[in-house]
Amino acid sequence: MHTLSQESTEMHEGAREKIAHFINAPDSSEIVFVRGTTEAINLVAYSWGIHNLKQGDEVLLSLMEHHSNIVPWEIISKLTGFSIKYAKVHNDGTLNYEDFEGKFSSKTKLACLSHVSNVSGVVNDVKRIAKVAHDHGALMLVDGAQSVPHMPVDVQDLDADFLAFSGHKMLGPTGIGALYGKKALLEKMEPFQGGGEMIKDVSFNQEKGRCGISWNEPPWKFEAGTPNIAGGIALAEAIKYLEHLGMDEVLKHEITLTEYALKRMQELKKVTVYGPTDVKLKCGIIPFGVQGLSSHDVALFCDNFGVMLRSGFHCAQPLHQVFKLQSSARASFYIYNTTEEIDRFIDVLKEMEQF
Amino acid sequence: MSTVEDYVARIEGTCGAEKDVIVIFKYEKKEEAIARILKKAELKNNLSGIIYELTFKGVSFRVYSSGKAIFRSIKNRETLNEILAGLLF
């Protein structure tokens, strides 16, 4: 109860309110602090999935999901026996909506979909899929790791039941993120981890020789142990900065950069861009390959010039199977990037083409 | 007596279907390591002193002036250690 603890609690809970407002969550109690998107999805899998998914039930995913939106469901499907169906992705990396929607049935209990692909930057119409999910009595989980940092996201407009995102992709520190969950769902869910803070009462029963436990209210029910207080506050500060810029402006800037980069990449003879090149379909991510070089060669070469790319599967191996690629290099843009930096990136790629 | 560990900071498998291996040389030893490798291996291609394509005992690999090397089709860590020892000593 001392002053400093009160101040830090107020700042931490204030951060929760800030995050709720940022994604237009109706109530700050619908925001659970987690380590990041991966932990958020695992929380839903273990606190909701294990207790609500059984043999005969189905979970729908897409082939463009990040491994963090595949592996938790594959793990718990082995525990409870439910089935998983993967919706197809077109060769250009866009979602096959007909296939996704055609897979819904009375057995479907949950649909999980990335709002934006972390490989291709393709923006998915998650609102459309959420509507179909709800028409079938299923829930909708949105992986917002690549959308919340880059565009306005409104959970009420999307009608998402769960939305997961990470702080480190939006100017915040690593090790902090948030799970949005509709209040009615969070209230019915079981705890994720056990420990302090997530309980209301732990009383030892002399006769039984055991402890009787009652859970705290959401969101604290899902936040066992000392929270990442500094991380939560820092994430809220990052959000304040993004709100100051305006998320519409953030998106506009990224689209301008993406359009410019795609146009300039056409000058390159050995470079192939994967996925759609229409900026109406995507965000600021460009996966590509260079003839005769592996994606790791491309990344290491660019690194020599201070151009930082990611290479490999980007934790989305199934999508690379769709693209029939061994791996890819990925350029991505954010608010701090400029067209001058893209010019330098193109110059480096031109130099690389000499090899 | 010097060992491979004196020059190598980390060895990582790449993420991707290629299953290549990246050798990251110690920052303070990278220039010496690259110089030793260039003396031993056969140079196939070179771009601006940034990237060297080399072969050694039938193994193809690329060395970057930033102090990293990508080895392809390496059977296991022991084979890689043998190749690195052959290149560095």
Side-chain angles (χ1 to χ4, degrees), chain A residues 296-297 304 312-313 326-327 351, chain B residues 15 17-18 48 62 64 72:
Chain A
H296 310 296
D297 283 313
N304 273 275
F313 284 139
Q326 297 222 307
S327 65
E351 176 89 8
Chain B
C15 169
E18 299 97 336
S48 310
R62 286 178 179 144
Y64 291 81
R72 294 181 173 76

Side-chain angles (χ1 to χ4, degrees), chain A residues 297-314:
Chain A
D297 283 313
V298 174
L300 286 178
F301 188 89
C302 288
D303 180 50
N304 273 275
F305 297 90
V307 176
M308 289 168 277
L309 306 174
R310 187 169 172 186
S311 58
F313 284 139
H314 320 300

Side-chain angles (χ1 to χ4, degrees), chain A residues 286-300:
Chain A
I286 303 177
F288 67 98
V290 180
Q291 190 185 316
L293 293 171
S294 77
S295 66
H296 310 296
D297 283 313
V298 174
L300 286 178

